[in-house]
Each structure stands twice: as structure tokens, then as C-alpha cells.
């Protein structure tokens, strides 16, 4: 049982039992459809304030759900005879650092409106036992972030932007399926490029509703000539002729990027069926870097239960210079803050401070110095080893007095090799949700998908792009 607020009991998980519960569905039920629509930032203090929420009966599931919902978790049994089972359940939660708020035994008189409590010891810790009426008085807590809550909040924030995103790869079933989900959830407006008749036919075969999307053939239409003229002007210093520009604009990535450049769309997401170079090269030529930026880079948002980190650069720059690394650190902090991360930036190395020697350590040290000079108010430190960046006892021992060591939330890797390996290792071994790569440093948002992207990956990336839109 999860409790919050000061009102009566509500079983909002009744439709979930007794089948294996779906966490995302349960979380939506806990917050309620109205809260999901009205929450200004997707970070409501708690679900359906004032309710006592009856859980599924699966102890770990309910505990994790309570944390994500910002609710107090109580174990409730029908009689004191269940004390042993409750002890075991409580011990399991204590060992996983999810100590329940209390245990209640409801006797036969509960039906008449009264309840009784007894005391039980769990893992050597006395747990306060409460009567049923006390459960409803438990206050809401700060929700604990996790993959499902993060994705839910992401959709809410994107919906508020009311952005228009172009998807160039209309021939890919994953793109069409993701578009259906995005449109049903009213996350953003969409233009899908490809043959409109073929897209509509395939959507019907897949049972998808794309009726509110704009379907555009990039090889035809009145915009094509205007786009070609614009591109020829932008690239005339490279000797590009109007005829060459007309041919280039037939390419879906160039056409979609020009839509973003001209303000017809607010952002672009591509790469499910094309290489990263094919996706982002037009951005360098048309959208170009934002004022003050000299390099385009990326971050991944790494989401685990109770943990929200940003890793950069894991997708674009193989061997950034110290100056580029400093810039990547600053822009990664800015991007992270857009998604609810309080940036504390660790510049990573195989050495903490100058305990190790070598050109690689010196390069990171130079990047740290440059970044601190350019961003004096940004909590940033390094060189730091990963353990010194995330474990406070290690960090303060190796770099005493640092306001980042042991508390880092944004991690800047010295090169692409380190960054890409690490994000994949964390993703696969810690069961982390890895959202990205999120491109940063461009004038307008363009984001790249992996060719192995799943439909949820595409949905998340489109939402990210909508949030980035000005």
C-alpha cells in the first residue's frame, strides 16, 4: 500500500491485478490522467493527492512504484498471524535500501471502521506500526526518478512545447509506429517525409493512425525550388550551382534540415535508416553552430532508479582538443539542466588531480582550467577518475575540498573511445535507460538515431528534440 495526502482509500490498480503488473501503466494510474495533463513541469509532488493507493501485492514492485510516485509505502496484512511473512518482506526491502514506512495489521473490526496495530521487528530495526486511519495522513514525498517516471515527465514537457518535428524516414515502420504513439499522446506536431500514398497505405496495414501528421514528398512540391535557391546561396562560397542544389535538396536529410532552417519545422530526428554522417552533415552546412559554439557534440542521459546522469561526448568527436573539451563540458551542463539535472561537471581521466602523469592527463587538466575560466559559476572539477567523481568518500580523499568530487552528475569523457564504451557498459549492465545521443551546439535541434533504434528510442528522441526547440 502506498499512502499520501489526507483523503480516503482508492484502489486505482484494480484493473492491473492479478496479471503481471506493468510499471508504466501503474505509474500513470498513480499520478492520474488529470495530473499528467495539468502538471506544469512534469514534476508533480505526487499522484492523486489525498488518496490511499492500494498496491499490486508484489513487494518490490509496489516499493519502487511508491518511490516513483512520491508516496509512503506501508505493508498491510489481514491479521498478526501474517507477522512472519511481513518480517521477511520488510527485511527484503530494508536490504535493498527501501525500508517501508510502517506495517499495519487490520483485524476483523476494520470493516466496522476501526483498526488495530501490533509491533514487529524487521532486520533488527523497529518499524513504526500505524492504524489504517493514520496511513491516509502520510505526507507526499519527493518522487524518486527512474526510467518510467523520466519518460513520463519527458512526454509532459515536450507536450508543453507544442513543437513541430520533421521525420525524414517515412519508409521505416519504426518511424511510423513511433509517430502514431507521439500523435496519440499529443506530444508534438509531425511532418513525415516520403511518398504520402505509400506511407498512408503502410500505416493502414500496421493499424496506425497518422491522420494528423503532414505527409510530404520531398521530391515534389512548391517548396523544393525555394529550398534549392536557399541552399545554393548558403553554399555559393563552395561553388555550388543552383542545379547542384536542386539535386541535393532531393535528399531527405537535406530537405528536412532546410525545413528546420526555414522555420517550417522546429527540429528534425533521423538516423533509423541512415548513417550519423548522413543525418548531421546537412546541419553543419545549413543550420550551422550556435553563437559562441565552435564544435557540435553530444550527450546521453543515463537514467536509473534514483540516478539521473549526463554523459558527453559519446557520439561525435573522436579526439577533442582541450579547448573543445572545455566547450563540451559547458554546453553539456546547459543541456543537462534542460532535463532536470543540477549540473556538477566531472572532467574524467585515468588520474585524479595530477596524481598520474602523461599527455592525456595534462590535456584534461588544461581543459579543466579553460572551462573554469570561461564558466566561473559552474561547479566543475577534474581531472577525476570515475570512482572519485561518484563516490563521496573516494572523491574527498583523492580531491579534498572539491564541490564536485563524489557528487558529479555530468561526466565529460576525454575522448569518444572512453565515452562510447562507458555509456554502453552502464546501459547494458546497470539496466539503465540511455536517452540519446542528444546533439548540442547547433543553432536548431537536430538529433540522430541509432540504426538499431527501437520505437521507444525514437519516441524519446523526438520528445527530447521538441524540448530543445526554442
Amino acid at each position: 500500500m502506498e499512502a499520501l495526502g489526507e483523503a480516503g482509500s482508492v484502489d486505482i490498480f484494480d484493473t492491473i491485478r492479478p496479471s503481471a503488473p506493468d510499471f508504466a501503466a501503474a505509474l500513470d494510474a498513480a499520478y492520474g490522467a488529470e495530473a499528467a495533463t495539468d502538471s506544469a513541469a512534469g514534476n508533480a509532488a505526487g499522484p492523486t493527492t489525498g488518496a490511499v493507493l492500494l498496491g499490486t501485492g508484489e513487494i518490490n514492485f509496489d516499493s519502487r512504484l511508491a518511490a516513483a510516485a512520491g508516496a509512503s509505502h506501508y505493508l498491510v496484512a489481514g491479521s498478526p498471524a501474517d507477522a512472519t511473512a511481513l518480517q521477511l518482506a520488510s527485511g527484503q526491502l530494508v536490504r535493498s535500501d527501501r525500508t517501508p514506512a510502517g506495517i499495519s495489521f487490520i483485524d476483523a473490526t476494520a470493516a466496522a471502521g476501526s483498526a488495530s496495530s501490533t509491533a514487529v521487528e524487521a532486520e533488527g530495526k523497529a518499524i513504526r506500526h500505524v492504524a489504517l486511519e493514520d496511513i491516509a495522513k502520510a505526507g507526499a514525498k519527493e518522487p524518486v526518478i527512474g526510467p518510467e517516471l523520466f519518460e513520463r515527465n519527458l512526454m509532459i514537457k515536450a507536450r508543453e512545447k507544442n513543437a513541430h518535428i520533421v521525420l525524414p524516414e517515412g519508409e521505416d515502420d519504426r518511424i511510423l509506429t513511433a509517430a502514431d504513439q507521439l500523435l496519440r499522446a499529443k506530444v508534438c506536431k509531425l511532418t513525415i517525409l516520403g511518398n504520402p500514398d505509400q506511407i498512408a497505405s503502410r500505416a493502414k496495414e500496421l493499424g496506425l493512425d497518422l491522420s494528423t501528421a503532414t505527409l510530404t514528398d520531398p521530391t515534389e512540391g512548391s517548396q523544393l525550388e525555394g529550398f534549392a535557391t536557399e541552399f545554393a546561396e548558403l553554399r555559393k562560397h563552395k561553388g555550388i550551382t543552383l542545379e547542384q542544389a536542386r539535386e541535393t535538396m532531393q535528399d531527405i536529410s537535406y530537405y528536412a534540415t532546410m525545413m528546420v532552417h526555414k522555420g517550417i519545422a522546429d527540429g528534425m530526428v533521423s538516423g533509423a535508416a541512415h548513417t550519423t554522417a548522413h543525418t548531421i552533415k546537412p546541419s553543419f552546412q545549413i543550420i550551422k553552430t550556435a553563437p559562441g559554439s565552435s564544435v557540435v557534440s553530444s550527450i546521453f542521459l543515463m537514467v536509473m532508479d534514483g540516478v539521473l546522469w549526463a554523459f558527453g561526448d559519446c557520439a561525435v568527436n573522436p579526439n577533442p582538443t582541450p579547448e573543445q573539451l572545455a566547450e563540451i563540458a559547458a554546453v553539456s551542463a546547459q543541456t543537462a539542466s534542460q532535463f532536470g539535472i543540477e549540473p556538477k561537471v566531472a572532467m574524467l581521466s585515468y588520474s585524479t588531480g595530477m596524481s598520474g602523469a602523461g599527455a592525456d592527463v595534462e590535456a584534461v587538466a588544461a581543459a579543466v582550467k579553460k572551462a573554469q575560466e570561461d564558466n566561473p559559476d559552474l561547479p566543475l572539477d577534474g581531472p577525476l577518475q570515475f570512482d572519485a567523481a561518484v563516490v563521496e568518500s573516494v572523491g574527498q580523499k583523492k580531491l579534498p575540498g572539491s564541490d564536485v568530487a563524489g557528487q558529479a552528475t555530468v561526466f565529460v569523457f576525454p575522448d569518444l573511445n572512453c565515452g562510447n564504451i562507458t555509456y554502453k557498459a552502464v546501459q547494458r549492465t546497470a539496466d539503465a535507460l540511455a536517452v540519446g545521443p542528444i546533439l548540442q551546439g547547433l543553432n536548431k535541434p537536430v538529433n540522430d538515431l541509432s540504426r538499431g533504434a527501437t520505437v521507444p528510442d525514437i519516441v524519446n528522441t523526438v520528445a527530447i528534440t521538441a524540448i530543445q526547440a526554442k
Side-chain angles (χ1 to χ4, degrees):
M1 175 177 285
E2 298 83 37
L4 65 163
E6 299 180 353
S9 301
V10 179
D11 184 354
I12 60 173
F13 302 128
D14 191 49
T15 57
I16 298 172
R17 281 193 223 90
S19 60
D22 177 273
F23 194 92
L27 189 60
D28 277 342
Y31 274 87
E34 184 176 352
T37 302
D38 294 342
S39 173
N43 292 315
T48 318
T49 305
V52 173
L53 313 176
L54 304 184
T56 65
E58 295 189 10
I59 299 300
N60 283 317
F61 180 95
D62 289 347
S63 174
R64 185 164 172 256
L65 180 62
S72 300
H73 184 206
Y74 289 89
L75 302 178
V76 180
S79 75
D82 294 324
T84 301
L86 290 184
Q87 270 189 309
L88 293 173
S90 298
Q92 184 179 6
L93 294 175
V94 169
R95 286 191 295 274
S96 61
D97 199 27
R98 287 179 175 161
T99 303
I103 298 175
S104 286
F105 299 107
I106 312 303
D107 63 18
T109 61
S114 63
S116 62
S117 302
T118 62
V120 172
E121 292 280 323
E123 292 294 295
K125 294 187 177 182
I127 296 181
R128 183 171 61 88
H129 301 274
V130 296
L132 181 60
E133 61 266 22
D134 292 332
I135 295 176
K137 298 177 183 177
K141 302 184 295 184
E142 186 70 24
V144 175
I145 194 68
E148 297 85 1
L149 181 57
F150 178 83
E151 288 181 321
R152 182 179 179 278
N153 290 346
L154 200 65
M155 299 306 123
I156 293 170
K157 289 181 180 180
R159 190 180 300 127
E160 291 165 1
K161 285 281 190 170
N162 195 31
H164 184 173
I165 307 300
V166 58
L167 305 175
E169 300 167 315
E171 75 287 351
D172 193 298
D173 287 354
R174 293 168 297 167
I175 294 293
L176 301 184
T177 304
D180 172 80
Q181 294 181 15
L182 289 159
L183 293 170
R184 288 179 188 276
K186 295 181 171 59
V187 172
C188 60
K189 301 171 185 175
L190 292 176
T191 289
I192 306 172
L193 301 187
N195 183 295
D197 292 337
Q198 291 178 5
I199 292 174
S201 176
R202 183 57 179 159
K204 185 176 181 180
E205 290 175 6
L206 296 172
L208 307 176
D209 182 5
L210 303 182
S211 58
T212 57
T214 300
L215 309 181
T216 300
D217 189 340
T219 65
E220 299 178 355
S222 58
Q223 290 179 328
L224 194 58
E225 185 65 19
F227 286 0
T229 301
E230 178 81 7
F231 186 70
E233 180 64 23
L234 288 171
R235 302 295 290 172
K236 65 182 180 182
H237 65 288
K238 294 291 187 180
I240 298 297
T241 65
L242 181 57
E243 190 58 39
Q244 289 172 323
R246 289 188 181 113
E247 184 178 348
T248 299
M249 279 301 115
Q250 302 254 349
D251 182 285
I252 58 169
S253 288
Y254 277 92
Y255 189 99
T257 303
M258 188 61 77
M259 285 183 64
V260 177
H261 173 67
K262 299 288 285 183
I264 300 168
D266 298 309
M268 178 184 94
V269 173
S270 188
H274 296 85
T275 65
T276 295
H278 187 264
T279 298
I280 66 176
K281 181 182 177 182
S283 302
F284 297 151
Q285 297 177 354
I286 299 172
I287 293 175
K288 302 182 180 178
T289 56
S293 295
S294 65
V295 64
V296 175
S297 61
S298 72
I299 66 168
F300 279 85
L301 301 177
M302 308 299 295
V303 192
M304 295 159 276
D305 284 344
V307 175
L308 179 55
W309 286 341
F311 283 4
D313 172 12
C314 303
V316 180
N317 297 282
N319 292 291
T321 66
E323 292 75 21
Q324 289 174 329
L325 208 55
E327 186 177 317
I328 290 168
V331 73
S332 294
Q334 294 170 8
T335 304
S337 66
Q338 284 186 287
F339 300 100
I341 299 176
E342 181 182 351
K344 294 187 177 182
V345 184
M347 308 284 281
L348 298 176
S349 174
Y350 62 77
S351 170
T352 296
M354 299 306 291
S355 61
D360 291 339
V361 178
E362 292 169 4
V364 175
V368 170
K369 182 179 179 182
K370 172 69 172 169
Q372 289 174 336
E373 289 173 352
D374 293 344
N375 308 274
D377 297 327
L378 176 64
L380 180 149
D381 215 338
L384 280 163
Q385 293 162 288
F386 195 87
D387 60 347
V390 299
V391 181
E392 191 162 6
S393 60
V394 176
Q396 291 306 313
K397 182 178 181 180
K398 292 189 172 186
L399 205 64
S402 171
D403 59 357
V404 172
Q407 305 174 57
T409 57
V410 179
F411 303 82
V412 178
F413 294 88
D415 56 50
L416 185 58
N417 203 33
C418 293
N420 195 270
I421 290 170
T422 303
Y423 107 75
K424 287 183 181 293
V426 173
Q427 178 189 33
R428 298 301 180 182
T429 62
D431 197 25
L433 172 68
V435 182
I438 302 169
L439 297 185
Q440 47 192 14
L442 288 167
N443 258 321
K444 294 184 178 181
V446 169
N447 281 310
D448 178 42
L449 297 165
S450 163
R451 277 171 285 176
T454 64
V455 170
D457 291 336
I458 298 167
V459 170
N460 287 339
T461 302
V462 172
I464 288 280
T465 308
I467 293 168
Q468 287 181 301
K470 301 293 184 182

